[in-house]
Amino acid sequence: SQTIHQWPATLVQPVGSPLSLECTVEGTSNPNLYWYRQAAGRGLQLLFYSVGIGQISSEVPQNLSASRPQDRQFILSSKKLLLSDSGFYLCAWSDGRSGNTIYFGEGSWLTVV
Amino acid sequence: RKEVEQDPGPFNVPEGATVAFNCTYSNSASQSFFWYRQDCRKEPKLLMSVYSSGNEDGRFTAQLNRASQYISLLIRDSKLSDSATYLCVTREYGNKLVFGAGTILRVKS
């Protein structure tokens, strides 16, 4: 069966510090991969999605970047965090062929102070 | 106008009650529809897909009205464990998923 794992689960970072969130998927090949952010009381906002290694699409202009160095690895980064980057970050995957249903990782809570 | 709109609630209902959530979407080209459940401080999990003919999974019934661009979720015989936020989701061309902000349900004994 397929599993998705992301880490760290929780982090508190000062303004201006870098960020790296990692996500891996097991049990499937060539998945579609996604990074979402959920601010308090708001819906999920798609940040990035990837249909293959090195292929990244950005949905909104922001202070963040994403990379996909391996087929089942997706990384969310920032060089300098802003207060507004605080939120709940979710990695997700869907089947690369049908892509119909999306499955989420456990999420990472980021607080920028 | 939001792409997917939901009443944020909260809906406070007693155990055993029947409760219904509604959702409207703005993109008439949306291809697939889902309900996700999200517990407090957890990731969303797929509850059920929504089909044009309507579908049922145990105590849960989902309906889709493409003409009105309207999706519903009915929960019968509510349990305490049903307390959560319910997210309405549409899938657009190119596998883009659009999430509503969610409806909070609180089931009380």
Side-chain angles (χ1 to χ4, degrees):
Chain A
S1 64
Q2 300 87 2
T3 59
I4 179 170
H5 183 52
Q6 65 177 100
W7 68 95
T10 306
L11 64 166
V12 180
Q13 295 284 106
V15 169
S17 65
L19 171 73
S20 180
L21 301 179
E22 292 195 37
C23 172
T24 58
V25 180
E26 298 294 335
T28 187
S29 296
N30 197 30
N32 298 322
L33 297 174
Y34 310 83
W35 279 110
Y36 283 87
R37 176 170 59 201
Q38 187 175 38
R42 301 184 66 179
L44 275 75
Q45 179 187 35
L46 178 62
L47 302 175
F48 301 95
Y49 72 93
S50 172
V51 297
I53 296 174
Q55 300 178 63
I56 311 292
S57 296
S58 175
E59 284 294 299
V60 294
Q62 60 207 308
N63 185 39
L64 303 166
S65 61
S67 61
R68 185 171 178 174
Q70 300 180 46
D71 181 45
R72 291 170 293 171
Q73 183 185 23
F74 207 22
I75 298 171
L76 183 69
S77 304
S78 175
K79 292 182 179 178
K80 289 185 177 181
L81 285 168
L82 306 172
L83 287 174
S84 58
D85 292 325
S86 295
F88 189 39
Y89 288 83
L90 290 152
C91 181
W93 74 276
S94 65
D95 184 87
R97 286 166 294 179
S98 64
N100 201 31
T101 304
I102 194 169
Y103 302 93
F104 289 91
E106 309 96 326
S108 298
W109 286 96
L110 170 65
T111 303
V112 182
V113 296
Chain B
R1 183 184 172 188
K2 293 180 182 176
E3 293 178 88
V4 177
E5 291 204 59
Q6 298 181 246
D7 181 343
F11 285 61
N12 296 301
V13 303
E15 276 186 289
T18 295
V19 61
F21 306 138
N22 302 321
C23 165
T24 56
Y25 60 95
S26 61
N27 186 352
S28 60
S30 296
Q31 299 184 321
S32 305
F33 308 89
F34 310 89
W35 283 102
Y36 276 71
R37 170 194 168 126
Q38 186 174 23
D39 293 304
C40 186
R41 298 181 69 84
K42 298 288 187 179
E43 75 274 23
K45 293 183 179 179
L46 179 66
L47 178 65
M48 59 196 302
S49 300
V50 186
Y51 303 117
S52 296
S53 56
N55 50 298
E56 188 174 305
D57 182 2
R59 298 180 293 108
F60 299 83
T61 301
Q63 296 278 355
L64 168 64
N65 184 323
R66 283 190 181 270
S68 301
Q69 295 179 201
Y70 170 98
I71 306 162
S72 67
L73 177 68
L74 182 78
I75 305 176
R76 293 182 298 277
D77 188 23
S78 299
K79 312 291 185 189
L80 292 175
S81 57
D82 293 334
S83 297
T85 298
Y86 290 83
L87 306 175
C88 177
V89 185
T90 66
R91 183 175 73 87
E92 300 180 357
Y93 181 79
N95 290 327
K96 178 184 176 182
L97 290 178
V98 182
F99 286 79
T103 297
I104 298 171
L105 172 65
R106 296 176 183 152
V107 182
K108 300 185 183 297
S109 59

